[in-house]
Amino acid sequence: MAPIISIKNLSKTYATGFQALKTVDLDIEKGEIFALLGPNGAGKTTLISIVCGIVTPSTGTVTVDGHDIQSDFRAARAMIGLVPQELTTDHFESVWSTVSFSRGLFGRRRDDAFVEKTLRDLSLWDKRDSKILTLSGGMKRRVLIAKALAHEPRVLFLDEPTAGVDVELRRDMWAMVRSLRETGVTVILTTHYIEEAEEMADRIGVISKGELILVQEKAELMTKLGRKELTLSLQEPLSEIPASLNGRLALANDGHELVYAYDGHGDDTGIPRLLADLSAAGVNFKDLRTKQSSLEEIFVGLVSERK
Ligand SMILES: Nc1ncnc2c1ncn2[C@@H]1O[C@H](COP(=O)(O)OP(=O)(O)OP(=O)(O)O)[C@@H](O)[C@H]1O
């Protein structure tokens, strides 16, 4: 099956001379949930802004269901719903009129029943006559989603959908994404939360400094991301690791700490066996802490693995 979005040789250098994207190639399959994972400034918004026709690429092409986003912009854009990070217009409009207006913008015929269903699904029905200005931040986010869905797009982009939203909205948003997928809608979300990519995505692309450094099925990538470290603060410093524990641990902090790295997503972390072996070797500790690899460390690990 042809991909719903095909990105080839895409790069972007802004007028400042800053290169925000470096030769990105990516195909998104119809009906998948794809998470673009990367730290702030990695180029996520730039990438989706190009696909949505908001930013012009410096090189490369993008097609949406076969429509070129530059030469066939209207057809390409009509396929897409975009939920941006912030609402910038429409403050004085009511919820109902801003959402139904968005539908009209894409040439869709008026369909009050569809707009009503969208508002109800997003718990906005009671607010349909309220001016956007008077809504809470969470409600404004819901309006952004309703606007993006108003013209029944086949592809939905969510830019940092849960940054700063409350638990309830996050849960609603995830449920909405899953139900959209059931109707064949393709969802692409950007995030810098590993947990969000893990919860939502079928496939994850890791972007760092404008480069798509890895694209992988979630299950595979989470195994890589799941590395954790257990640090034990010892009661007495050690000059060397006891023979029975060698190979599993590293000494740190001048022998005051032992560090054990393990797969945080595996069923068998090896920790119970490790603690039993430490006790048998007469090594006592006074404190312990665990640490998840940070995104930065993961990126460094992923990039060096590819070399
Ligand atoms: N119009 C612009 N002119 C110059 N530089 C820009 C412009 N827009 C973005 N940038 C720069 O491009 C880089 C990538 O920005 P982008 O917004 O795509 O990142 P991001 O991964 O979406 O990050 P965030 O999560 O912070 O939005 C950043 O360093 C940003 O400062």
Side-chain angles (χ1 to χ4, degrees):
M1 197 168 47
I4 186 112
I5 294 183
S6 184
I7 298 173
K8 295 214 183 332
N9 191 32
L10 193 70
S11 73
K12 175 65 188 178
T13 304
Y14 282 109
T16 54
F18 182 80
Q19 193 176 15
L21 284 182
K22 300 168 191 162
T23 330
V24 171
D25 289 285
L26 175 66
D27 281 346
I28 308 271
E29 303 303 325
K30 189 165 179 250
E32 73 173 331
I33 300 178
F34 187 90
L36 200 54
L37 176 67
N40 287 333
K44 304 180 296 293
T45 304
T46 301
L47 180 58
I48 67 174
S49 299
I50 292 174
V51 180
C52 296
I54 299 163
V55 167
T56 319
S58 304
T59 67
T61 55
V62 179
T63 57
V64 183
D65 205 18
H67 303 287
D68 186 282
I69 51 144
Q70 289 185 286
S71 59
D72 198 4
F73 173 71
R74 285 180 73 85
R77 185 64 182 85
M79 306 279 302
I80 296 173
L82 168 65
V83 183
Q85 290 182 14
E86 277 170 20
L87 186 67
T88 48
T89 53
D90 303 333
H91 298 296
F92 299 99
E93 295 286 338
S94 71
V95 170
W96 174 273
S97 63
T98 194
V99 173
S100 41
F101 180 70
S102 287
R103 183 177 170 83
L105 272 184
F106 292 96
R108 287 269 183 183
R109 65 173 173 76
R110 185 172 164 168
D111 185 343
D112 290 353
F114 180 79
V115 174
E116 177 174 340
K117 180 180 183 311
T118 307
L119 295 185
R120 285 191 188 279
D121 287 349
L122 287 159
S123 309
L124 280 170
W125 184 242
D126 293 346
K127 302 278 182 193
R128 62 190 176 280
D129 296 323
S130 304
K131 283 197 171 55
I132 309 271
L133 187 72
T134 64
L135 300 179
S136 68
M139 284 293 168
K140 283 183 185 148
R141 287 275 189 139
R142 288 174 193 266
V143 173
L144 281 176
I145 300 166
K147 273 167 68 85
L149 293 174
H151 65 287
E152 299 169 66
R154 303 310 297 155
V155 180
L156 183 70
F157 282 93
L158 297 154
D159 196 3
E160 298 278 352
T162 59
V165 310
D166 61 26
V167 177
E168 197 186 346
L169 178 51
R170 184 171 309 167
R171 218 179 24 230
D172 284 3
M173 204 144 8
W174 289 353
M176 176 202 77
V177 165
R178 288 201 188 91
S179 71
L180 281 172
R181 197 232 320 245
E182 275 160 31
T183 65
V185 173
T186 307
V187 179
I188 297 140
L189 61 110
T190 73
T191 183
H192 53 261
Y193 298 121
I194 294 178
E195 301 74 30
E196 184 156 65
E198 180 175 18
E199 171 79 27
M200 303 286 298
D202 299 314
R203 220 153 46 108
I204 298 175
V206 178
I207 188 166
S208 172
K209 300 194 178 101
E211 260 184 285
L212 195 58
I213 58 176
L214 189 94
V215 177
Q216 214 159 41
E217 295 293 322
K218 174 179 64 184
E220 255 175 276
L221 189 58
M222 292 326 290
T223 315
K224 292 191 175 180
L225 301 190
R227 281 187 69 72
K228 289 184 87 172
E229 261 180 24
L230 168 69
T231 302
L232 301 160
S233 303
L234 303 176
Q235 278 181 358
E236 303 291 336
L238 285 176
S239 54
E240 58 183 27
I241 296 171
S244 61
L245 297 161
N246 230 341
R248 279 187 279 165
L249 290 160
L251 269 180
N253 197 9
D254 288 336
H256 288 86
E257 290 180 343
L258 279 173
V259 181
Y260 172 67
Y262 61 101
D263 175 6
H265 286 88
D267 287 335
D268 180 15
T269 59
I271 291 174
R273 200 170 54 249
L274 175 77
L275 296 184
D277 291 350
L278 278 169
S279 166
V283 178
N284 297 314
F285 58 93
K286 54 186 178 191
D287 199 4
L288 55 81
R289 62 181 190 276
T290 63
K291 174 169 98 86
Q292 179 96 38
S293 323
S294 73
L295 256 189
E296 204 58 48
E297 289 166 337
I298 291 158
F299 288 146
V300 172
L302 288 175
V303 175
S304 60
E305 249 173 57
R306 292 166 76 234
K307 281 183 182 158

